[in-house]
Amino acid sequence: MKRLLRQLRSYWEQFLTILCHELRIIFTDAGVMLILLFALLIYSTIYACAYAPEVVRRVPIGVIDQSHTATSRRLIAQLDASANLAIAYEPSDMEEAKRLFYARRIYGVVYIPADYEASLYAGEQATLALYADASYMLIYRQIFEGVATTVSQTGGEISLLRALDAGLDTPLPAPIIYQNHTLFNPYLGYATFLMPAVILTVIQQTLLIGVGMIGGTWREERLYRVLRPKTRRRISTLPLVVGRGVAYLLLYALTGGIALAILYPLFGYPMKGALGAVVCMVGLYTVACIALALALSTLFCRREESLLLLLWTSIPILLLSGVSFPKEGMPDWLYRAGLLLPSSHGIEGFVRIQTMGASLSEVFSEVKALLLLTLLYGGLACLSTHRIIRKEAS
Amino acid sequence: MASLRDSWAVTQREVERWRRSPIYLVLMLLLPLLSFAFFATLFHKGVAEGLPIAVVDEDHTSLSRSLVEMLSATPLAEVVYEPTSVMEAKRLMREGQIMAFVVVPDQFEAAIFANRQTAIHNFISGSNLSINGLLAKDIQVAAMTFIAGVEFQRLTQEGLPEQMALAEVMPIRLDTHTLFNPYLNYGYYLSPSFMPMMLLIFVVLATIFSIGVELKEGSAREWLTTARGNIEVALAGKLLPQTLLFSLVALVMLAVISGVVATPFQGSVGLIIVATLLLVASYQAIAIVIIALVANLRLSLSLGGGYSVLAFTFSGATFPVMAMWKPLQWLSRLFPFTYYTEISIDQLLRGTPALYSLPYLAAMALFLLLPLLALRRLKRVCNQPKFWGKS
């Protein structure tokens, strides 16, 4: 019993020593501070500002009007009135339109044929052609949306006019209306869509790289020996792992808190989740990332290794989460491999909580996965740290 | 001539360093190739299919069932649930099981037969932009086809000739020609951006590392001595093997983009190659300036790495630069990758005449002048012991 108490007391003292020392390492190293302290806030702000306009409006397009009638001019005016479009040029033919296109003056062309008005007056179907550039996806979507909506409205007006013309004694077949409702991000804002994933990815990546840097420092400065408590042969594994982990948790509680409590509402991102659910999800996610980071950090012998070897993984990891590229579009095995990373679960769960208002029980599968990963990587971190301690002590 | 000999001596010394320390080849060869393999694999399918949706059928008639079948038949969507209520459907969405649900209201068939107005509602999640556009369009096409079919049938049954019925149902037909990415294929569209992005990250890190590590290990003076104190020669000799290796890797990258991912190369292949080589060189130039000014290996790596990761955002490959705030549009011009993206879209996807891409090439070439500003500082940093040993 007494031995157990002595052991626990030693653990506690070691834990405190490690915690304080780790914080000191962080705050006396500019390179590490940049990554662990400032990167999250700097990147979140920069990305938020870059995507702040959220939607692309007034895409410049060209209209080739071969009809030159009041009806076609009316259509052009309606197209220009669309929020998504801006009629920038009226080229006289396709050749001129192509030149404007290559010079990036326009991103699409609407072609009104010569018989446009005539067809409509004759009660026939009129045809319009739209040439839209899909090499920029978002621009393409706005052009398509803007033109299709305008054409559909115009078509509706024409149907009504024809019905009035026909004198309404024949009962008009009642239309079946199709209505599309976009939930959770009704204006399809780009920042609203991507920022939750960006913030969480930055949390994971900065932890992996920053903790890895410190891991390299531990090896370079032989801290496994230096921080050995006087009364013991070697430093103990558990207080070391937990002490380092708590140091990072405190740090990210601060920076993550700023990002989510200040930045989020500042840029107007949806915050539909209950506070408890958000804190739970992000907190658990951070712990899982710290566990992975601690496990990986034992592999690095030099300070700069983690940055050199891990920086490139940031974009692949963001993609693997299935947010910016759907998981149904990637090979199944690759997506499953990505499930080994906290980011794939954390991002999914966080987006559903904040953007959709899901409750913790509705993201339970993600919570479960994060818990398992924490145990897995925490265990690996302890094993790997123990191995190094033994090696350094001999 | 002497400087050529010295330069060669520096190059030999550099290659010897590569041999001793595996991190160089890992950074310049292994990891870039791995990253290309990742993207080639990721975009292998190119198009998504089988996106899970649900249908809330409150009507339960043969007409509503035929709508459900039409929705199932779309290439993109797959009806995986038929919940009994809208509440249940919303819960499924919050659980991440479905991305959209279509509601067929009660008395749907009856309303159509009785000539009363009725509606089909689609509720789609806006939280995932990449899926939303295509899925919404898919469902809309299925629903509109269904509606047009029903109305067409009603009109022809009332005795209207087919042509007139068609004109009634859809007075204006929009013929859409999707240019340059006709299958709306993610792979075509994204890999010419992501892979060079990876390449430039490694270029920046490797360049900063190869110079900065000499400072950290205190071997910088020896490096300069090999070039007999001439910083231009020292730099040229050190970076030449890197540039060559990265150029090779860049060519492999282009081969992967065109061969494995099968992105079309509509324009000038020569121009793309030149642009890619310029990409490598311009980021080396930027890296030289960073390490020369900061003179601290780890801080330079953090800054250089941080700068390179931002390149993708400001390139406009996803969110267009023209939609950003004006100051940020100016900021985007400080990244060589922004110009590269324009050239790559021009020459790979669009087949633009080379003339239009030349200004972007010139802009990239301007970055090559940057190191000239930092040479004196670099020489000083290499010679003064106070800059050594710091990491």
Side-chain angles (χ1 to χ4, degrees):
Chain A
M1 190 61 197
K2 251 174 83 174
R3 243 193 97 197
L4 179 65
L5 282 177
R6 234 181 331 156
Q7 177 90 315
L8 284 177
R9 199 194 151 126
S10 167
Y11 271 21
W12 177 249
E13 279 167 2
Q14 289 188 60
F15 164 76
L16 285 178
T17 315
I18 302 281
L19 175 60
C20 294
H21 192 264
E22 200 74 359
L23 288 172
R24 202 175 326 135
I25 294 183
I26 296 171
F27 285 100
T28 53
D29 187 328
V32 168
M33 257 208 295
L34 190 63
I35 293 189
L36 283 182
L37 196 59
F38 297 117
L40 177 59
L41 299 172
I42 294 177
Y43 274 112
S44 304
T45 310
I46 293 181
Y47 282 126
C49 288
Y51 300 140
E54 294 260 22
V55 287
V56 185
R57 296 279 187 223
R58 311 293 290 160
V59 177
I61 65 168
V63 179
I64 299 180
D65 184 4
Q66 302 284 42
S67 172
H68 304 293
T69 53
T71 320
S72 68
R73 298 232 61 78
R74 185 131 189 286
L75 178 66
I76 295 176
Q78 279 176 314
L79 284 171
D80 199 29
S82 157
N84 287 347
L85 307 170
I87 310 283
Y89 292 92
E90 291 193 35
S92 45
D93 56 23
M94 281 310 263
E95 278 311 306
E96 193 188 335
K98 257 198 213 169
R99 284 196 298 273
L100 288 168
F101 178 78
Y102 286 140
R104 286 191 168 83
R105 302 285 181 85
I106 57 176
Y107 288 88
V109 176
V110 174
Y111 182 88
I112 307 176
D115 61 356
Y116 178 66
E117 188 182 73
S119 303
L120 289 178
Y121 279 172
E124 291 160 11
Q125 189 183 58
T127 311
L128 288 174
L130 167 66
Y131 297 85
D133 173 23
S135 45
Y136 292 97
M137 285 285 233
L138 284 186
I139 295 179
Y140 170 79
R141 245 175 245 171
Q142 297 302 86
I143 295 178
F144 184 81
E145 260 298 305
V147 175
T149 309
T150 306
V151 167
S152 156
Q153 280 171 355
T154 309
E157 283 170 16
I158 289 171
S159 286
L160 188 60
L161 285 173
R162 283 187 183 156
L164 289 176
D165 232 20
L168 279 185
D169 25 331
T170 36
L172 201 62
I176 310 171
I177 299 173
Y178 171 76
Q179 263 211 315
N180 189 50
H181 310 266
T182 306
L183 301 171
F184 313 129
N185 183 5
Y187 299 105
L188 295 178
Y190 196 78
T192 303
F193 145 65
L194 200 61
M195 283 312 290
V198 166
I199 291 177
L200 260 65
T201 304
V202 172
I203 289 178
Q204 178 178 285
Q205 294 304 103
T206 51
L207 274 170
L208 293 187
I209 295 176
V211 175
M213 271 187 172
I214 300 182
T217 306
W218 273 75
R219 293 288 276 272
E220 278 189 5
E221 293 183 3
R222 318 212 69 136
L223 290 176
Y224 291 100
R225 279 211 202 146
V226 169
L227 288 176
R228 179 180 63 86
K230 316 270 190 303
T231 53
R232 299 179 75 94
R233 248 183 323 132
R234 48 179 192 235
I235 203 170
S236 309
T237 310
L238 207 55
L240 201 167
V241 173
V242 176
R244 289 183 69 191
V246 169
Y248 306 128
L249 192 60
L250 288 175
L251 205 58
Y252 274 75
L254 177 66
T255 56
I258 295 178
L260 293 178
I262 297 183
L263 210 83
Y264 232 70
L266 189 66
F267 282 94
Y269 304 139
M271 294 171 72
K272 301 210 181 103
L275 184 64
V278 175
V279 171
C280 255
M281 170 61 57
V282 181
L284 182 56
Y285 171 69
T286 309
V287 170
C289 291
I290 291 175
L292 176 59
L294 283 170
L296 277 180
S297 77
T298 55
L299 301 173
F300 300 117
C301 306
R302 289 196 290 192
R303 285 184 204 177
E304 60 272 355
E305 268 175 19
S306 67
L307 188 72
L308 295 174
L309 298 176
L310 292 179
L311 184 66
W312 72 278
T313 60
S314 307
I315 293 182
I317 283 177
L318 180 60
L319 289 176
L320 272 180
S321 71
V323 172
S324 49
F325 183 66
K327 63 178 187 273
E328 289 81 6
M330 58 176 98
D332 205 37
W333 65 266
L334 191 59
Y335 176 71
R336 283 180 201 278
L339 291 178
L340 282 173
L341 297 163
S343 49
S344 296
H345 307 278
I347 291 176
E348 255 297 309
F350 181 66
V351 165
R352 296 216 303 270
I353 291 180
Q354 281 286 48
T355 314
M356 297 189 191
S359 64
L360 261 186
S361 59
E362 281 161 350
V363 297
F364 188 62
S365 52
E366 278 78 18
V367 170
K368 215 170 33 169
L370 285 175
L371 278 171
L372 281 175
L373 288 180
T374 306
L375 287 174
L376 172 66
Y377 294 126
L380 281 176
C382 288
L383 281 175
S384 199
T385 308
H386 188 70
R387 201 176 49 90
I388 298 183
I389 292 175
R390 290 252 306 269
K391 210 169 71 162
E392 294 275 317
S394 61
Chain B
M1 273 307 109
S3 57
L4 265 180
R5 249 205 322 266
D6 293 336
S7 186
W8 179 242
V10 177
T11 302
Q12 281 181 309
R13 176 180 175 276
E14 188 67 15
V15 174
E16 179 55 37
R17 293 172 66 86
W18 291 7
R19 233 205 316 253
R20 265 186 283 134
S21 193
I23 188 86
Y24 288 94
L25 285 179
V26 165
L27 255 189
M28 290 192 285
L29 202 57
L30 184 66
L31 290 182
L33 293 179
L34 188 62
S35 72
F36 301 155
F38 172 81
F39 283 104
T41 313
L42 187 71
F43 296 132
H44 183 67
K45 268 200 323 206
V47 283
E49 50 188 13
L51 298 173
I53 67 171
V55 179
V56 180
D57 185 356
E58 293 174 351
D59 191 41
H60 307 288
T61 58
S62 58
L63 201 61
S64 65
R65 284 238 60 79
S66 66
L67 174 60
V68 174
E69 269 160 36
M70 199 166 269
L71 287 169
S72 272
T74 58
L76 210 61
E78 195 184 309
V79 180
V80 286
Y81 287 103
E82 292 195 38
T84 48
S85 69
V86 171
M87 276 229 332
E88 195 188 329
K90 279 195 179 161
R91 185 178 52 84
L92 285 171
M93 209 182 255
R94 286 196 302 264
E95 285 177 358
Q97 311 255 33
I98 57 171
M99 302 186 160
F101 60 92
V102 179
V103 179
V104 183
D106 194 25
Q107 302 295 309
F108 181 63
E109 188 184 69
I112 291 175
F113 285 166
N115 221 11
R116 282 197 310 271
Q117 192 181 81
T118 181
I120 301 172
H121 293 269
N122 176 39
F123 295 87
I124 184 167
S125 168
S127 63
N128 191 323
L129 231 64
S130 56
I131 289 175
N132 182 282
L134 298 174
L135 186 59
K137 190 156 160 252
D138 225 50
I139 296 177
Q140 179 172 12
V141 165
M144 297 300 273
T145 310
F146 175 85
I147 292 172
V150 168
E151 293 189 350
F152 183 73
Q153 224 173 15
R154 274 208 297 217
L155 289 172
T156 49
Q157 268 170 9
E158 284 178 15
L160 222 58
E162 280 194 2
Q163 282 288 68
M164 285 191 71
L166 194 59
E168 225 10 82
V169 163
M170 205 189 327
I172 308 176
R173 200 186 81 209
L174 183 64
D175 244 348
T176 308
H177 304 262
T178 308
L179 302 173
F180 312 121
N181 189 358
Y183 308 104
L184 296 172
N185 181 317
Y186 283 113
Y188 289 1
Y189 154 70
L190 288 175
S191 39
S193 281
F194 280 124
M195 294 203 211
M197 177 67 205
M198 295 286 105
L199 183 65
L200 74 88
I201 292 179
F202 292 116
V203 169
V204 170
L205 291 181
T207 308
I208 293 180
F209 180 73
S210 64
I211 299 175
V213 79
E214 304 255 24
L215 293 176
K216 174 180 174 182
E217 293 174 358
S219 58
R221 192 175 266 168
E222 186 231 326
W223 166 43
L224 260 190
T225 317
T226 317
R228 283 200 276 185
N230 188 326
I231 187 68
E232 285 93 348
V233 171
L235 212 51
K238 175 184 273 285
L239 293 182
L240 181 66
Q242 265 186 41
T243 313
L244 284 178
L245 187 54
F246 273 125
S247 300
L248 216 69
V249 171
L251 291 177
V252 171
M253 175 189 83
L254 290 176
V256 170
I257 292 177
S258 81
V260 179
V261 181
T263 304
F265 268 50
Q266 305 274 31
S268 159
V269 176
L271 219 146
I272 271 285
I273 293 179
V274 170
T276 312
L277 297 179
L278 261 183
L279 184 73
V280 171
S282 56
Y283 273 99
Q284 283 188 307
I286 293 175
I288 294 172
V289 173
I290 294 179
I291 182 71
L293 291 180
V294 175
N296 173 313
L297 176 63
R298 212 162 14 154
L299 193 53
S300 309
L301 284 176
S302 299
L303 288 172
Y307 165 76
S308 54
V309 172
L310 284 176
F312 191 75
T313 304
F314 287 103
S315 70
T318 47
F319 192 74
V321 176
M322 70 163 157
M324 296 185 189
W325 295 338
K326 267 283 181 283
L328 292 177
Q329 288 188 27
W330 283 103
L331 191 62
S332 78
R333 305 211 188 156
L334 297 179
F335 294 83
F337 188 63
T338 305
Y339 306 103
Y340 181 81
T341 303
E342 320 252 59
I343 297 175
S344 133
I345 287 183
D346 275 350
Q347 298 305 321
L348 288 179
L349 294 174
R350 292 179 169 189
T352 310
L355 202 65
Y356 291 94
S357 298
L358 288 182
Y360 302 125
L361 271 185
M364 285 176 74
L366 274 179
F367 284 92
L368 297 180
L369 298 173
L370 277 177
L372 296 175
L373 304 169
L375 286 178
R376 197 168 301 163
R377 158 85 181 172
L378 186 59
K379 182 167 180 178
R380 195 156 33 102
V381 159
C382 289
N383 275 319
Q384 287 179 356
K386 76 167 178 181
F387 290 111
W388 304 348
K390 275 208 213 149
S391 72

